Amino acid sequence: MRAIPAQRETASRASGAPAREEEPPRAWADATLLGSSLAPASARALVRAALAEWTELGLPGTQAHTRRLADDTVLVVSELVTNAVVHAGTEIGLVCRAEEETGAVVVEVSDRHPARAPRDGASEPAHGSAEYGRGLTLVARLAECWGVTYRTGVKTVWARLPAEEHPDEPGAPTGPPPYAMPGPGRGRPERDGDWLDRGALSFLAEASDLLAGQLDEDLVAALTAQLLVPRLADWCAVWLEDEFTGRGRSPHGIPGTGPRLARVWHASENRIEELRRALEKEPPYPPDDPGPGSGPVPHPWPRAAPGEREPVGTALAYRLVAGGRPLGTLVIGQSGPEGFPDEVTGLVEDLGRRVALAIGAARQYARQATISAVLQRGLLPGAVAEIPGVRSALVYEPCDKGGPSGDFYDVFPAGEGRWCFAVGDVQGKGPEAAVVIGLARPWLRLLAREGYRVPDVLDRLNQLLLDDATEAADARARALVGPAAPGDGPQTRFLSLLYGELVPFDGGVRCTLGSAGHPLPLLLGPDGRVRTVAQPQTLLGVVEDATYTSETFRLRSGDSLLCVTDGVTERRSGSRQFDDGDGLAAALAGCAGLSAQSIAERIRRLVHDFGGRPPEDDLALLVLQAE
């Protein structure tokens, strides 16, 4: 959003006529947002920044603006954009302006491509689920007036929020929001019940945005504590449990058997460690089934609590449950005899639900990352075989988007004085790619050790990929991810493969290789000349009656063979690719005289330097150099 003091807001602007230059500057801002889950957070940040800038510039009408008006405006914009995301899902137009005479703020949120037809001008119904927003109920409560305007291809919801009539009177809400409680030892402001219908919702929305982007459960716990202290409590603690192993419900007093104290926070930082020691003595042991909506329960005030001669204060424990699984316990504490008002306990309960969802999402991400790492380790060789008379070097950099990489490699002994190597790339990633690699690599080794030559290995592997068993395995792998979509039946996966056989002899190595839909290998001579040493052939798993051939040549002392995947050749910089104009051959020519390891490292560095951003595809390259 741009806060544009020089932009004029006039009746002629609405009709399309140009603004008159002699008109004074007005408070006006607009933005275009993508209809994604991040749009409400972006809209809140942009509107708040614009309102602050207008006030700082002293634009007409902004002298009547207060913190409460800003909070209400941000909340209304958040609700309107949230609902627009649900209905539009593409671009969303946002306009915010201040009226010069009254200081009232008018906001407009437009669906640029609404997905639902208007229903006789009626307002959209509120949805029950939190992710759909609260409809227009909240907007109607906070706004003085609001409405819906339909034009071809555009639906606009607008709302007008009045400014305070006497913003300078004592008690006007221009200071910190009433939920911002000071630390212990200072006076607590009287909580404003009306704010809990306004600012509290904005607080929860912004807290949700902050928590939702975290992929580490310990970081979620840390952010939770800092959100609560000192706003709503003097101190906070977050215990985390393992939902798969009984969550540590062993008897009291056995070290290491209870829930893990992931975070402790106190308004006075010098008291944190002492509070931690006190809390670790009495971890929460809640019931096995907390039940939905069970609310907070009293928690023992920590014995020898920091700074307290007598154990005086109130502590409440909230179970963190997501998807029916207890994930931990959130405990807040307030020193003094007053305790927590009901509105604060309800607000923390709402926040606790969001915290539990964030912890559950972080754990799901961690589980998927672990599964991907285990699959990746199982799909690649534990070590690259040493070949007599040949030095080898390998670079393998999976992009790690959605699971195991689609690239793979292998170098292994095949018996009878033969060694084989392979560099492949499966179409797709994740479980589907893992199925193909899990079939291809063992079959390559088996066929090679059975004595099959390069063309025969490619022929048989092509038939294997076309077999119904592969399709069935592919379907089972996708079933692990989720329910299949309509028409989403088994699909054959394609494989590009460079496969070769090496036979050492006195003075060099005889190499026989074939390329099936793969970037062609390059041979670098000691004099710096580079040539291709294979012919292009069809991808594996595409044509049932394909017949594959191979080429044989000799690697003499100092010759280097470079094998890569398309993550190297198709590395992009704008509209250009790394291999445009034989770029890879030119890069390899500059490596004359280098060792195998130095060649691999230089090509890797050139590929990375070619684009301004990190590679977006898996990258694998293998260098074989005759000694």
Side-chain angles (χ1 to χ4, degrees):
M1 177 176 289
R2 305 181 303 278
I4 312 176
Q7 183 80 20
R8 278 76 174 172
E9 184 259 329
T10 65
S12 62
R13 184 185 187 282
S15 63
R20 297 189 298 273
E21 290 298 327
E22 65 272 12
E23 293 180 356
R26 306 288 290 273
W28 177 284
D30 61 13
T32 299
L33 306 170
L34 293 178
S36 71
S37 60
L38 299 178
S42 300
R44 286 193 294 272
L46 294 171
V47 168
R48 196 177 290 281
L51 294 174
E53 183 179 351
W54 297 344
T55 302
E56 182 179 353
L57 295 173
L59 298 184
T62 59
Q63 66 275 9
H65 289 186
T66 63
R67 182 183 295 273
R68 170 162 296 173
L69 177 61
D71 287 342
D72 286 357
T73 302
V74 169
L75 188 56
V76 167
V77 166
S78 178
E79 289 302 297
L80 293 180
V81 171
T82 298
N83 288 313
V85 167
V86 173
H87 293 283
T90 54
E91 287 188 351
I92 297 162
L94 170 61
V95 173
C96 181
R97 58 186 172 88
E99 295 180 352
E100 179 179 357
E101 294 80 8
T102 65
V105 176
V106 179
V107 296
E108 301 176 5
V109 174
S110 302
D111 298 1
R112 296 293 172 83
H113 304 283
R116 301 182 184 182
R119 291 185 272 187
D120 301 325
S123 62
E124 299 289 345
H127 296 269
S129 301
E131 62 268 27
Y132 292 106
R134 288 169 285 275
L136 295 174
T137 304
L138 182 64
V139 175
R141 179 173 181 179
L142 297 181
E144 180 182 60
C145 55
W146 65 276
V148 183
T149 302
Y150 292 98
R151 298 190 301 276
T152 303
V154 179
K155 183 185 85 172
T156 300
V157 183
W158 60 269
R160 182 179 186 273
L161 292 87
E164 297 284 336
E165 294 184 5
H166 305 289
D168 296 327
E169 289 185 356
T174 57
Y179 65 82
M181 293 176 55
R186 291 176 284 172
R188 298 187 180 92
E190 181 180 354
R191 292 181 178 88
D192 188 335
D194 184 46
W195 173 85
L196 290 165
D197 292 330
R198 298 166 177 246
L201 294 174
S202 181
F203 165 75
L204 287 173
E206 294 180 2
S208 298
D209 294 333
L210 182 63
L211 295 170
Q214 310 308 322
L215 300 177
D216 182 274
E217 62 180 43
D218 287 327
L219 184 54
V220 171
L223 291 172
T224 300
Q226 293 180 4
L227 284 167
L228 289 170
V229 178
R231 287 183 177 94
L232 299 173
D234 287 345
W235 58 265
C236 171
V238 180
W239 277 269
L240 296 179
E241 304 165 359
D242 184 351
E243 70 267 35
F244 293 109
T245 60
R247 306 188 310 279
R249 294 188 176 281
S250 299
H252 293 262
I254 301 178
T257 57
R260 177 173 64 91
L261 186 54
R263 184 66 172 177
V264 176
W265 196 247
H266 197 287
S268 298
E269 292 188 25
N270 58 348
R271 302 180 180 181
I272 293 175
E273 288 307 314
E274 189 175 355
L275 175 61
R276 175 183 289 275
R277 289 193 294 270
L279 290 171
E280 285 176 340
K281 297 176 182 178
E282 297 186 72
Y285 287 89
D288 289 333
D289 184 8
S294 56
V297 297
H299 184 79
W301 185 257
R303 285 175 280 185
E308 299 287 351
R309 295 183 178 178
E310 298 294 336
V312 176
T314 301
L316 296 176
Y318 297 79
R319 292 295 285 143
L320 301 175
V321 181
R325 292 176 174 173
L327 306 178
T329 303
L330 167 65
V331 177
I332 58 173
Q334 188 70 56
S335 61
E338 295 90 350
F340 292 99
D342 291 342
E343 60 267 23
V344 170
T345 61
L347 180 57
V348 176
E349 186 174 357
D350 285 342
L351 178 64
R353 284 191 284 268
R354 290 158 172 79
V355 171
L357 290 173
I359 292 172
R363 291 188 173 184
Q364 179 65 21
Y365 174 82
R367 284 193 290 268
Q368 291 176 345
T370 300
I371 291 171
S372 295
V374 171
L375 282 175
Q376 195 73 68
R377 287 195 299 268
L379 296 174
L380 297 175
V384 174
E386 294 185 3
I387 306 172
V390 177
R391 291 188 296 266
S392 63
L394 176 74
V395 172
Y396 179 73
E397 295 180 348
C399 192
D400 194 23
K401 288 186 177 179
S405 166
D407 289 5
F408 72 97
Y409 62 89
D410 203 357
V411 180
F412 58 92
E416 300 179 353
R418 298 180 298 120
W419 280 260
C420 294
F421 66 93
V423 176
D425 186 1
V426 178
Q427 178 194 24
K429 299 183 186 297
E432 295 173 339
V435 168
V436 178
I437 297 173
L439 286 171
R441 202 170 69 84
W443 272 97
L444 282 173
R445 290 193 170 212
L446 176 64
L447 293 170
R449 288 168 179 168
E450 289 292 323
Y452 288 93
R453 300 305 177 183
V454 171
D456 298 325
V457 170
L458 296 177
D459 285 339
R460 282 159 175 76
L461 189 57
N462 182 56
Q463 292 299 320
L464 176 67
L465 292 176
L466 290 166
D467 191 78
D468 289 341
T470 301
E471 295 185 358
D474 187 19
R476 288 195 298 272
R478 287 184 292 108
L480 295 175
V481 180
D488 187 21
Q491 299 177 6
T492 299
R493 309 307 299 181
F494 306 143
L495 169 65
S496 75
L497 181 67
L498 181 66
Y499 173 69
E501 179 183 279
L502 300 171
V503 179
F505 66 91
D506 291 338
V509 179
R510 187 177 73 248
C511 180
T512 302
L513 57 79
S515 176
H518 201 80
L520 298 180
L522 299 176
L523 179 64
L524 170 67
D527 57 357
R529 287 188 294 180
V530 177
R531 63 186 178 94
T532 58
V533 285
Q535 298 297 319
Q537 300 180 83
T538 306
L539 283 166
L540 298 175
V542 178
V543 180
E544 187 168 1
D545 57 354
T547 300
Y548 293 91
T549 61
S550 64
E551 285 74 36
T552 300
F553 59 95
R554 293 187 175 187
L555 286 172
R556 299 291 184 179
S557 178
D559 287 345
S560 300
L561 182 68
L562 174 65
C563 311
V564 303
T565 60
D566 60 11
V568 173
T569 57
E570 297 179 4
R571 168 75 160 135
R572 285 192 170 275
S573 177
S575 60
R576 297 185 304 120
Q577 293 186 348
F578 185 76
D579 199 32
D580 286 350
D582 292 327
L584 179 59
L588 182 60
C591 298
L594 298 181
S595 67
Q597 188 63 48
S598 297
I599 293 173
E601 179 55 32
R602 176 174 288 189
I603 298 298
R604 186 201 70 81
R605 178 171 50 81
L606 291 173
V607 171
H608 276 266
D609 293 345
F610 184 73
R613 298 180 178 180
E616 297 181 354
D617 194 6
D618 306 319
L619 186 153
L621 64 91
L622 174 66
V623 177
L624 300 172
Q625 187 178 73
E627 296 180 344

